[in-house]
Amino acid sequence: MNFKVYSKLPAEAAKIRETVFVQEQGFREEFDTTDQFASHLVCYDRDLPIGTCRYFKDGADGHFIIGRIAILKQYRGKNIGSFLLKAAEQEIKKNGGKRIHLHSQEQAKEFYKKQGYQEYGDTDSEQGCPHIWMYKNLSSKKRHF
């Protein structure tokens, strides 16, 4: 397993997101302007792209957002999501990241809790799918909302 980071949305990431979010989950507005400035991480099984996510700075000093985390169906349940998330966290740390936020689908929040993320705020809806904001501190200093 390995990964590559791209400064522009690569075709591999777009195809994975199209498969997972549009075809499987029915989202209609998958691609947005954030794709133009976010970093995109693609996870490979040898040379085969199997997962992706994007991350970008979020205004506040040292705050980043991870999003569009997608693993191809046949690779789920094999710790690929954990590998992908840890790889993104490492890249964010290299870029001075201190805190990561993500907008988790309600059905995936337990996965993120196991990775050290905490919920905050109220559940909201993104294209009819319930989501919750979560965060994780990367620095040794604890910050509170």
Side-chain angles (χ1 to χ4, degrees):
M1 202 88 49
N2 59 57
F3 68 90
K4 292 181 186 174
V5 178
Y6 299 87
S7 60
K8 294 182 180 180
L9 178 65
E12 300 96 314
K15 185 174 181 179
I16 292 168
R17 287 171 47 188
E18 174 78 22
T19 299
V20 172
F21 295 123
V22 178
Q23 294 172 16
E24 288 179 25
Q25 297 182 1
F27 287 95
R28 295 170 311 285
E29 300 166 18
E30 173 52 23
F31 301 97
D32 58 24
T33 57
T34 302
D35 285 326
Q36 296 171 15
F37 62 84
S39 294
H40 301 269
L41 194 146
V42 178
C43 178
Y44 295 87
D45 181 10
R46 298 186 184 155
D47 293 330
L48 182 67
I50 61 172
T52 189
C53 71
R54 70 181 185 188
Y55 60 90
F56 55 94
K57 286 186 181 179
D58 181 38
D61 186 41
H63 289 219
F64 283 74
I65 292 179
I66 292 178
R68 303 305 205 263
I69 299 169
I71 308 296
L72 293 176
K73 194 174 203 171
Q74 61 269 37
Y75 289 91
R76 294 179 201 150
K78 300 179 181 183
N79 294 316
I80 308 298
S82 297
F83 173 82
L84 184 65
L85 196 56
K86 295 291 181 215
E89 290 173 0
Q90 289 172 358
E91 292 300 312
I92 288 169
K93 276 185 182 180
K94 285 183 199 175
N95 288 290
K98 297 175 186 168
R99 178 178 276 196
I100 298 172
H101 298 263
L102 56 82
H103 199 216
S104 171
Q105 289 184 14
E106 188 73 27
Q107 55 90 14
K109 74 178 180 181
E110 294 305 317
F111 165 77
Y112 295 112
K113 283 182 179 180
K114 289 178 185 174
Q115 307 303 317
Y117 288 80
Q118 300 174 39
E119 301 176 45
Y120 69 93
D122 296 324
T123 300
D124 56 25
S125 178
E126 192 170 304
Q127 294 187 54
C129 179
H131 280 67
I132 185 78
W133 280 101
M134 303 182 83
Y135 77 94
K136 180 178 183 177
N137 288 322
L138 297 179
S139 65
S140 57
K141 294 181 183 177
K142 297 277 184 190
R143 293 188 188 159
H144 301 283
F145 278 95

